[in-house]
Amino acid sequence: MSHPPSSRSARLIDRILIPVIVASIGALAAGGLHMYLSLPRIAHTTAEKSLSAIERAVTSELHALLDPPADLALINAHIISLHPSLPIEKIHALFLEEIESHPEISIVAAGMEDGTYVEVQRLPQGIRYGYRPAGREGDLTFFPTPSLSPGTELQRVAGYDPRTRPWYTEALDAGTMIWSPPYRLASSDAPAMAVSTPIRLGDRTIGVSTVTIELLHFSRILETLTTPLDIRCYLFDDSHHLLAAAPALPPYRLLAPLDSREGSGTPSRDDSLTRHHPETITLTELDGIPVYLQEHLLTSRSTSFHLLTAVPRDSLTAPFRRAQLAALLTILILMVVVVVIALFSSRNIARHFDLLTHHTRVLRLQEAIPADLLTLSRRTDELGEISRALIDLKQRLDQQHEEVLQHLAARELLLKEIDHRVKNNLQTMVSILTLEMETLPSGRAKDTLHLIRQLLHTIALVHDMAYTQPSLTSIDLAQLFDHIVSLYKTTGLSLYYHPSASPHVPLASAIPYGILLSYFLEALRSYASPSDPSTLELLSHEEGYILTMRAVFSPSREVEFKKRILGSLLVKGLLPQLGGQVVFTRTPLSPRKVELETRIPFSAFEWSTDRDCNIEC
């Protein structure tokens, strides 16, 4: 028995339309509830990513801060062990050069088993020497350096014995490199830490080498971290002494599980914190504020540090709460729209449903389903399979891309570490040659050692720039030449350097270019007139770059200078390798002034697709 149209419409509303409305409302409500329940998980994931990024940045900066003092302590211990009877003046000169080249270092010192103590210390007024002679009793006396401000009071420390100091005794007991707990410097009352290593002569320990840095450098590491979230950072040493905090410490109350003590107060270097699930995110309270807390263990050269990072939960959830509120309002509006449409369109929907049922029945009776619809269905299935295959291919390509990025990052870290080690070894060789030159009289042997030392120093500069610059494949030639010129100015050479171009050369060509310039400047130092300043220019040319040196010579010295340059096997070997050439010209207005031009072709430099874009890079 068939139903009239009105009965079919009522059945449609009762059995289909009303359940659809209820199901839609339930689905929208379930979506809103899911968003609300997912908020803590989203906040936890965001906190984990942010705090892990902070940990990686602090680890990198911490290695850059702590590795140079540790390297210098080892180098000084090695040099003193090779020359145990080295004069105090030479040790002072070596320590002064190290502290001037590393502004983060406050004290470079060494104490010997006979009570001898040598020190170079950085003060706000400049740098001073310190010396305590051997013996059971003695005073530590200070002497000024040229950089110390006039009128600075030089105090004398009575009864100072390095053998009783903690940095000496602890390194002696440990038998290896150690970092001391934080302490305050007697000269400035600034908090500091010292790295100490024993000085060994064979199987016997003859003293301790130490390097001190102030804790303000740790604070600068934390203060330079930029993040859109309100993240607090606390850095402790392995004995739970507070070293740095960012931002400046507020009167926070440390509650469980961070602190097992009762009471409140600002964390200090004497606070002993209870470690709670290291490397995991913990939701706790800090001064009554819910925060996500994480503790990281950072290791560096025989010591470790604890980085405590905290981010307020509200700063993570506030953006998501606003989005959640907007989504809930949208869901309510959609629910109202669905109900209104259902109420005002029920009759029209029922009529169209009856009409659709009638046409479907007619089509079935006539068997008039077109073949095109079947073809379209098959094509739709094929397109779905192709789409799924493309999605799978994209996922595999993304995974391979991530693996390639990880391999490249590991390779870059390895190359930088190799450059760092090579630079340190070359600096050790330069220091040893400097000490050996002091014992030789003036003559050919001493000049040869001086040239070798300058060439080694040049190679060390190239590796240092490769370690510190972001590019692993090229070196800024103008910056390299500026470092080499500055190095020769310390030897008494009067020279003005004017670069008007800044080309980048491949890393494999940077060392030959530096060696050539060092050789030219060494010849210039030996033969040019010392009363007339020389000039050095780096200019761009239509076919490459021109390195021009202008200097004044006496007639005999000019001949010796040209013979030194043109007859050198080093110049003859390197210039053809780089595709360069040397041209001597005489300045018309000044017959005694000679120009030495070194022409370098474009083929020796890096270029992008546009040839002209790198001329001023």
Side-chain angles (χ1 to χ4, degrees):
M1 180 177 181
S2 60
H3 294 276
S6 59
S7 299
R8 289 197 298 269
S9 300
R11 186 179 61 181
L12 173 66
I13 295 175
D14 294 338
R15 298 185 179 182
I16 298 178
L17 189 59
I18 292 178
V20 168
I21 294 176
V22 173
S24 301
I25 295 175
L28 294 175
L33 181 61
H34 176 71
M35 289 182 60
Y36 178 79
L37 296 177
S38 300
L39 191 60
R41 178 179 55 83
I42 295 174
H44 187 279
T45 303
T46 306
E48 186 175 8
K49 292 180 179 179
S50 302
L51 298 182
S52 298
I54 291 294
E55 183 267 337
R56 289 192 298 269
V58 172
T59 300
S60 176
E61 295 292 334
L62 197 64
H63 280 292
L65 174 65
L66 298 180
D67 284 352
D71 291 339
L72 289 180
L74 288 173
I75 290 173
N76 293 340
H78 183 64
I79 291 175
I80 294 175
S81 65
L82 290 177
H83 303 275
S85 60
L86 193 66
I88 300 303
E89 294 79 8
K90 304 300 181 183
I91 299 178
H92 272 148
L94 176 63
F95 288 178
L96 180 61
E97 180 181 356
E98 293 173 351
I99 203 170
E100 287 179 343
S101 60
H102 295 81
E104 73 276 7
I105 293 178
S106 299
I107 299 176
V108 180
M112 308 304 291
E113 63 180 353
D114 60 357
T116 304
Y117 178 71
V118 184
E119 171 187 284
V120 175
Q121 182 178 8
R122 185 191 308 276
L123 299 175
Q125 301 86 356
I127 300 175
R128 69 181 183 182
Y129 296 127
Y131 174 65
R132 189 262 193 194
R136 186 174 299 275
E137 296 181 357
D139 296 340
L140 175 58
T141 307
F142 295 102
F143 307 94
T145 63
S147 65
L148 193 64
S149 301
T152 302
E153 182 180 357
L154 298 175
Q155 301 175 351
R156 177 189 298 268
V157 180
Y160 182 84
D161 190 346
R163 295 167 296 185
T164 63
R165 306 299 294 175
W167 58 265
Y168 186 97
T169 57
E170 292 176 2
L172 205 62
D173 294 338
T176 185
M177 176 185 293
I178 63 167
W179 281 89
S180 70
Y183 66 95
R184 293 191 178 274
L185 297 176
S187 57
S188 61
D189 199 40
M193 291 180 66
V195 56
S196 305
T197 185
I199 304 173
R200 300 186 181 276
L201 184 60
D203 296 333
R204 187 168 61 92
T205 301
I206 62 173
V208 173
S209 171
T210 181
V211 177
T212 301
I213 59 174
E214 294 186 12
L215 296 188
L216 62 91
H217 298 290
F218 292 98
S219 298
R220 290 173 180 171
I221 291 177
L222 301 183
E223 291 171 357
T224 54
L225 298 175
T226 57
T227 174
L229 301 175
D230 183 18
I231 294 182
R232 284 122 170 123
C233 300
Y234 303 95
L235 186 64
F236 298 85
D237 66 359
D238 201 28
S239 300
H240 299 129
H241 296 101
L242 181 62
L243 304 180
L249 283 174
Y252 278 143
R253 179 181 181 184
L254 299 180
L255 302 179
L258 293 183
D259 196 340
S260 59
R261 297 175 291 105
E262 295 294 333
S264 62
T266 302
S268 68
R269 65 179 186 178
D270 298 323
D271 284 334
S272 177
L273 301 183
T274 302
R275 295 181 59 188
H276 182 75
H277 302 297
E279 308 300 332
T280 61
I281 301 295
T282 303
L283 180 60
T284 182
E285 288 189 355
L286 199 62
D287 194 25
I289 301 175
V291 297
Y292 286 100
L293 189 72
Q294 188 174 22
E295 181 182 1
H296 299 277
L297 183 63
L298 315 178
T299 60
S300 175
R301 293 291 183 89
S302 302
T303 187
S304 59
F305 298 89
H306 299 271
L307 177 65
L308 204 63
T309 51
V311 55
R313 184 179 62 184
D314 292 342
S315 65
L316 295 173
T317 58
F320 300 102
R321 289 188 183 279
R322 289 192 293 268
Q324 184 187 40
L325 180 60
L328 290 177
L329 291 176
T330 304
I331 290 172
L332 292 176
I333 293 174
L334 290 176
M335 291 171 62
V336 173
V337 170
V338 169
V339 172
V340 171
I341 292 176
L343 292 176
F344 286 95
S345 303
S346 59
R347 294 182 179 274
N348 195 21
I349 291 174
R351 185 171 59 83
H352 283 289
F353 179 76
D354 291 338
L355 184 61
L356 179 61
T357 303
H358 173 70
H359 285 297
T360 302
R361 186 177 301 165
V362 172
L363 289 175
R364 286 179 179 176
L365 292 175
Q366 297 179 356
E367 297 181 354
I369 299 178
D372 293 341
L373 293 178
L374 298 177
T375 304
L376 180 61
S377 177
R378 288 195 296 269
R379 292 291 178 87
T380 302
D381 295 337
E382 293 174 358
L383 290 176
E385 294 178 359
I386 294 174
S387 176
R388 287 190 293 272
L390 291 176
I391 292 174
D392 183 63
L393 177 60
K394 179 180 181 300
Q395 292 176 350
R396 292 200 301 269
L397 291 176
D398 291 340
Q399 182 179 2
Q400 293 175 1
H401 177 70
E402 184 66 24
E403 292 176 355
V404 169
L405 291 180
Q406 293 176 358
H407 289 313
L408 289 177
R411 178 177 175 272
E412 179 180 355
L413 180 62
L414 178 61
L415 290 176
K416 285 183 176 291
E417 184 65 20
I418 290 174
D419 287 324
H420 183 54
R421 297 299 180 185
V422 171
K423 184 261 295 183
N424 286 342
N425 292 336
L426 289 174
Q427 283 185 344
T428 302
M429 296 172 64
V430 168
S431 300
I432 293 174
L433 286 176
T434 302
L435 296 175
E436 291 296 335
M437 286 172 53
E438 298 295 335
T439 62
L440 293 176
S442 299
R444 184 175 181 83
K446 187 171 184 178
D447 293 340
T448 302
L449 284 182
H450 185 274
L451 174 60
I452 294 174
R453 186 191 70 171
Q454 298 300 94
L455 295 181
L456 289 177
H457 208 150
T458 299
I459 298 174
L461 283 175
V462 174
H463 284 282
D464 184 57
M465 293 177 66
Y467 172 69
T468 56
Q469 289 186 351
S471 175
L472 294 176
T473 58
S474 64
I475 293 293
D476 188 341
L477 193 62
Q479 186 178 359
L480 174 62
F481 284 0
D482 182 64
H483 289 327
I484 296 175
V485 169
S486 300
L487 176 65
Y488 269 89
K489 283 183 179 181
T490 60
T491 65
L493 178 62
S494 178
L495 181 65
Y496 297 102
Y497 175 50
H498 305 288
S500 61
S502 182
H504 284 67
V505 298
L507 188 60
S509 302
I511 293 179
Y513 285 129
I515 290 177
L516 276 178
L517 179 61
S518 296
Y519 190 84
F520 291 161
L521 294 181
E522 185 67 22
L524 198 67
R525 188 180 68 87
S526 301
Y527 298 107
S529 173
S531 60
D532 297 309
S534 304
T535 59
L536 177 67
E537 296 181 351
L538 180 60
L539 307 173
S540 60
H541 188 258
E542 60 183 3
E543 297 181 356
Y545 292 91
I546 298 179
L547 179 65
T548 304
M549 291 195 304
R550 297 184 179 91
V552 176
F553 301 87
S554 63
S556 60
R557 287 289 189 173
E558 177 186 348
V559 174
E560 294 177 359
F561 177 71
K562 292 182 178 180
K563 185 182 299 183
R564 173 76 174 272
I565 297 299
L566 298 178
S568 170
L569 295 178
L570 184 65
V571 176
K572 291 179 180 179
L574 290 180
L575 274 180
Q577 176 184 347
L578 301 175
Q581 57 179 337
V582 174
V583 179
F584 283 96
T585 57
R586 188 180 297 278
T587 305
L589 298 180
S590 179
R592 294 178 58 204
K593 181 172 290 188
V594 175
E595 291 186 355
L596 168 61
E597 290 189 354
T598 304
R599 300 180 181 270
I600 308 170
F602 281 127
S603 59
F605 297 87
E606 289 185 331
W607 299 103
S608 62
T609 304
D610 186 359
R611 182 178 179 85
D612 296 332
C613 70
N614 263 356
I615 292 181
E616 298 183 9
C617 63

